[in-house]
């Protein structure tokens, strides 16, 4: 088994979405799912191209309410390419019999190769080899080489190479009740050997231009046509049985957000006109990947594990490559690989920074600058809510306003429900943590004296104003921790929880960091308050463990065995309980690591230092008790949970970490969250796996046999 290759044999319609997501190619500026070039979105295939930072907002009516959602836009499709043998049908998923099929993602080179033998309804058998790339060297270019061999026929082979702007966002079934037509066709052309398409996003008015040049060596006919939202180039060539024909499609994608262009339409056209041959593009692209891998490679002893590590690092770098240094884009939780979570930016980058900051500080700086540019919006949000400093949104997209949905659909019950997850104020603490990690990795004093420090101080100001003095402690009320299955108290009308331990401890941590930094613009009074908070944040305990939030100890125990016996997979316990007319808020049952995030981010010693600094008795036995307690009460409804549990247990009780490590490794490659990878990969978990393996702890403990278990 070559750990640099991910190979899929045959066609498996049920797995097609997953395969498309995992064979996505991208370069940090845009990415394209590994969909077949002859396929349109049809419920099985889902071609998707997503441009970093390109969002659009639409208004929808659901459950009698008007909601608006900002989506990462599915851009015009550059892939379409099909062929027809003599008078046979154009090759499409439903017009031919697939005799053999193999798809190979080469992670070292950054290419996707497809080998097919197909027979049309008239019996023409054609062999197809396709290779594509999304250039890591020239981030506006992509290329598709198709080699066709007429196996049992001679005559005219026609090839159709097109650009398709008739594309909507419809990749996630549960969002289909929401508006998804983000693209407005502006114009198309097919002249001078180049096809081109210009579309505009409906409300953000970003122009997206595609241009393509399709070539075929030797004598052939060419016909160019364009219409509203499409452009195509038909080529015709006489082939003899057994002879190869190679067609190269070179594509350029620009948007009006790009720099150093007069217009994106002209830039795309010029770029494909000037672009080199497929071989030259491939050579430069492969060398660019080789340079990335020198900095990014993480090793494992087992080749199965190595393959997964390569895959996860590959997808991380395809979403945030060094090219993001020239962009204004955050880290979308689901990559540029699908439409889940609408391409929004959450806190997941906190799982990627430990991997990226030492290796690619230009990437982590770019991600922090994405936040820094949105400081004015975060300040405004804090002000509106009655606080100081900067309140970052739980979900962020174009301008940094809160993008969290206010309603979400439980597919199990069919009900639209209020969504309170914007109360996850802790996202700001993750941004602060990332500033610190970037600083530790780079020692870049200039960044810390500038945007980094500004972020830290403004976030600290927000948490300092969120905390209220109650007796000799500071409390934070009405928030949510990372565990999304608890968003309030049973019987309390207002959503939100009090004294989430994660939020409170990280607030104390942040106050310490800011005081250490000692920024000049911190007033005396602020300094006093920050140091008070560093010593007096409240943390609740029950049964000798940290309480996830105040009152957690009073919740009911869930009958885990009964739920497992009844439902099997109970990761989405929230949906199960809601469909039963119940709520996780009543139970000691967490979606994901919450208290354990403290161990993950601070380490057992770091956490002990903060807790004892706050005046709480804390020792190793309390740490072990706390970890075990939540281990027994977490259903891992987020892929991030296995990462945290694997890492925390590896340090505290190595024997127990193995199942989580295996779960983390399998999360996307085996789509453990049941169909969600098809809608976009889980970048936080992917990065988290790389971090787990670069550390000394569990690194070589996983054998292939375990992974397949
Ligand atoms: C998790 C969050 C995460 C988000 C995006 C949710 O399911 O609970 O912690 O940030 O997914 O990945």
């Amino acid at each position: 088994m070559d750990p640099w290759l991910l190979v899929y044999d045959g066609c498996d319609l049920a797995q097609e979405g997953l395969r498309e997501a995992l064979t996505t190619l991208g370069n940090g500026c845009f990415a394209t799912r590994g969909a077949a070039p002859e396929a349109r979105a049809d419920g099985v295939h889902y071609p998707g191209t997503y441009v970093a930072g390109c969002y659009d907002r639409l208004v929808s009516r659901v459950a009698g309410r008007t909601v608006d959602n900002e989506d990462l836009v599915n851009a015009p499709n550059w892939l379409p390419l099909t062929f027809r043998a003599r008078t046979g049908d154009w090759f499409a998923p439903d017009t031919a019999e697939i005799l053999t099929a193999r798809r190979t993602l080469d992670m070292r080179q950054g290419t996707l190769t497809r080998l097919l033998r197909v027979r049309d309804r008239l019996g023409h058998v054609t062999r197809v080899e396709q290779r594509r790339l999304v250039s890591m060297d020239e981030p506006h270019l992509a290329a598709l080489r198709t080699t066709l061999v007429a196996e049992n026929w001679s005559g005219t082979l026609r090839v159709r190479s097109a650009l398709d702007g008739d594309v909507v966002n419809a990749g996630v079934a549960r969002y289909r009740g929401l508006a998804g037509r983000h693209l407005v066709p502006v114009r198309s052309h097919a002249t001078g050997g180049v096809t081109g398409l210009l579309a505009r996003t409906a409300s953000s008015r970003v122009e997206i231009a595609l241009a393509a040049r399709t070539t075929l060596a030797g004598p052939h006919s060419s016909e160019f046509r364009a219409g509203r939202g499409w452009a195509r180039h038909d080529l015709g060539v006489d082939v003899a049985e057994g002879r190869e024909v190679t067609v190269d499609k070179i594509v350029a994608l620009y948007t009006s957000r790009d720099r150093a262009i007069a217009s994106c339409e002209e830039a795309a056209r010029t770029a494909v006109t000037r672009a080199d041959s497929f071989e030259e593009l491939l050579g430069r692209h492969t060398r660019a990947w080789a340079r990335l891998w020198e900095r990014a490679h993480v090793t494992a002893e087992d080749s199965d594990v190595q393959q997964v590590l390569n895959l996860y690092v590959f997808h991380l770098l395809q979403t945030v490559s060094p090219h993001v240094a020239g962009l204004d884009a955050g880290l979308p939780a689901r990559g540029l690989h699908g439409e889940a979570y609408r391409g929004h930016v959450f806190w997941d980058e906190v799982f990627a920074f430990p991997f990226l900051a030492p290796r690619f500080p230009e990437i982590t700086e770019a991600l922090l600058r994405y936040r820094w540019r949105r400081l004015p919006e975060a300040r405004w949000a804090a002000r509106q809510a009655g606080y100081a400093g900067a309140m970052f949104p739980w979900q962020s997209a174009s301008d940094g306003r809160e993008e969290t949905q206010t309603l979400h659909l439980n597919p199990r019950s069919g009900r639209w429900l209020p969504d309170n997850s914007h109360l996850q104020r802790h996202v700001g603490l993750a941004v602060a943590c990332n500033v610190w990690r970037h600083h530790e990795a780079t020692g870049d004093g200039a960044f810390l004296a500038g945007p980094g420090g500004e972020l830290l101080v403004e976030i600290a100001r927000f948490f300092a104003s969120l905390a209220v003095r109650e007796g000799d402690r500071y409390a934070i009320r009405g928030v949510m921790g990372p565990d999304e299955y608890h968003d309030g108290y049973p019987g309390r009308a207002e959503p939100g929880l009090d004294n989430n331990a994660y939020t409170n401890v990280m607030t104390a941590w942040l106050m310490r960091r800011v005081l250490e930094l000692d920024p000049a613009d911190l007033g005396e009074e602020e300094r006093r308050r920050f140091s008070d908070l560093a010593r007096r944040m409240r943390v609740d305990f029950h049964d000798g463990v940290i309480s996830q939030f105040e009152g957690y100890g009073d919740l009911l125990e869930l009958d885990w065995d009964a739920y497992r016996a009844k439902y099997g997979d109970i990761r989405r316990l929230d949906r199960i309980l809601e469909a039963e007319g119940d709520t996780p808020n009543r139970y000691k049952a967490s979606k994901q690591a919450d208290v354990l995030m403290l161990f993950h981010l601070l380490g057992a010693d770091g956490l002990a230092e903060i807790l004892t600094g706050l005046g709480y008795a804390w020792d190793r036995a309390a740490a072990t008790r706390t970890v075990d307690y939540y281990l027994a009460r977490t259903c891992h409804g987020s892929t991030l949970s296995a990462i945290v549990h694997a890492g925390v247990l590896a340090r505290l009780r190595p024997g127990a970490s193995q199942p989580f490590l295996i779960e983390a490794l399998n999360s996307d490659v085996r789509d453990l969250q049941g169909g969600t990878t098809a809608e976009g990969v889980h970048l936080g978990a992917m990065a988290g796996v790389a971090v787990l393996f670069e550390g000394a702890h569990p690194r070589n403990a996983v054998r292939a046999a375990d992974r397949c278990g």
Side-chain angles (χ1 to χ4, degrees), residues 333 341 346-348 394 482 484 591-592 637-638 640:
Y341 294 138
F346 295 62
W347 70 324
D348 302 53
W394 172 238
E484 299 193 324
K591 175 183 185 182
Q592 65 200 98
S638 160
L640 300 173

Side-chain angles (χ1 to χ4, degrees), residues 384-508:
Q384 291 300 102
Y387 302 111
M391 180 170 89
F392 279 97
W394 172 238
Q395 296 187 26
S396 179
S398 62
D399 61 8
R401 80 181 78 164
E402 181 58 80
E403 298 292 354
T404 304
Q405 66 279 15
T406 50
L407 291 176
H408 68 245
L409 177 69
N410 178 1
R412 201 177 258 277
S413 68
R415 281 190 283 269
W416 285 90
L417 305 158
D419 191 316
N420 296 312
S421 50
H422 69 279
L423 293 175
Q424 291 187 70
R425 304 293 181 220
H426 67 81
V427 61
L429 296 163
V431 175
C433 197
N434 292 335
V435 171
W436 202 255
R437 281 238 207 277
H438 175 79
H439 172 66
E440 280 178 336
T442 59
D444 182 349
F447 185 74
L448 200 60
E454 203 180 342
L455 281 166
L456 282 180
V457 170
E458 285 292 83
I459 296 168
R461 284 184 174 134
F462 167 67
F463 281 93
S465 69
L466 192 59
V468 287
R469 181 86 190 229
E470 295 176 356
D472 60 352
R473 289 280 174 194
Y474 285 91
I476 293 181
R477 303 205 170 268
V479 298
M480 275 174 72
D483 162 26
E484 299 193 324
Y485 289 176
H486 287 98
D487 67 350
Y489 290 98
R492 193 200 269 183
E494 278 300 296
L497 301 160
D498 301 333
N499 293 311
N500 167 249
Y502 173 75
T503 306
N504 287 14
V505 171
M506 290 305 292
T507 297

Side-chain angles (χ1 to χ4, degrees), residues 469-640:
R469 181 86 190 229
E470 295 176 356
D472 60 352
R473 289 280 174 194
Y474 285 91
I476 293 181
R477 303 205 170 268
V479 298
M480 275 174 72
D483 162 26
E484 299 193 324
Y485 289 176
H486 287 98
D487 67 350
Y489 290 98
R492 193 200 269 183
E494 278 300 296
L497 301 160
D498 301 333
N499 293 311
N500 167 249
Y502 173 75
T503 306
N504 287 14
V505 171
M506 290 305 292
T507 297
W509 170 87
L510 175 58
M511 298 306 148
R512 284 170 166 240
R513 295 291 80 85
V514 173
L515 291 168
E516 200 175 307
L517 190 67
D518 198 18
D521 66 334
L522 213 60
E524 257 325 295
E525 188 155 329
E526 269 183 322
R527 218 173 285 266
R528 263 200 304 280
R529 184 165 170 93
F530 284 14
S531 97
D532 218 22
L533 286 161
R535 286 179 292 111
R536 291 173 197 271
M537 283 306 302
R538 168 174 169 167
V539 180
D540 284 49
F541 294 83
H542 69 278
D543 299 345
V545 304
I546 297 176
S547 305
Q548 188 175 304
F549 48 81
E550 187 183 333
Y552 185 93
D554 301 332
L555 301 182
L556 300 172
E557 290 287 3
L558 183 86
D559 187 346
W560 291 89
D561 291 342
Y563 273 88
R564 286 204 175 97
K566 184 162 175 199
Y567 293 99
D569 185 346
I570 57 163
R571 286 187 179 88
R572 292 311 306 251
L573 189 62
D574 59 332
R575 292 179 178 168
I576 292 175
L577 288 172
E578 193 278 328
E580 288 181 346
D582 205 345
T583 162
N585 278 332
R586 301 203 311 131
Y587 301 99
K588 292 174 175 139
S590 303
K591 175 183 185 182
Q592 65 200 98
D594 192 308
V595 172
L596 266 56
M597 275 304 298
L598 292 169
F599 292 84
H600 180 76
L601 292 184
L602 305 175
D605 293 344
L607 173 58
E609 195 185 323
I610 305 260
L611 286 174
T612 48
L614 291 171
Y616 293 108
W618 184 253
D619 56 18
R620 197 178 159 88
T624 310
R625 263 198 315 276
T626 300
V627 170
D628 287 342
Y629 186 89
Y630 289 102
L631 193 58
R633 290 169 179 78
T634 304
C635 66
H636 312 294
S638 160
T639 52
L640 300 173

Side-chain angles (χ1 to χ4, degrees), residues 342-394:
R342 304 191 167 82
H344 292 173
V345 177
F346 295 62
W347 70 324
D348 302 53
E349 65 219 38
V350 81
F351 292 85
F353 265 58
F355 179 79
L356 291 174
R359 295 177 163 81
F360 298 98
E362 70 274 39
I363 297 179
T364 47
E365 181 173 334
L367 295 176
L368 290 171
R369 285 187 183 274
Y370 164 83
R371 297 292 190 175
W372 177 74
R373 285 186 205 101
R374 285 151 186 80
L375 255 180
E377 184 65 35
R379 285 194 185 107
W380 170 252
R383 230 49 90 246
Q384 291 300 102
Y387 302 111
M391 180 170 89
F392 279 97
W394 172 238

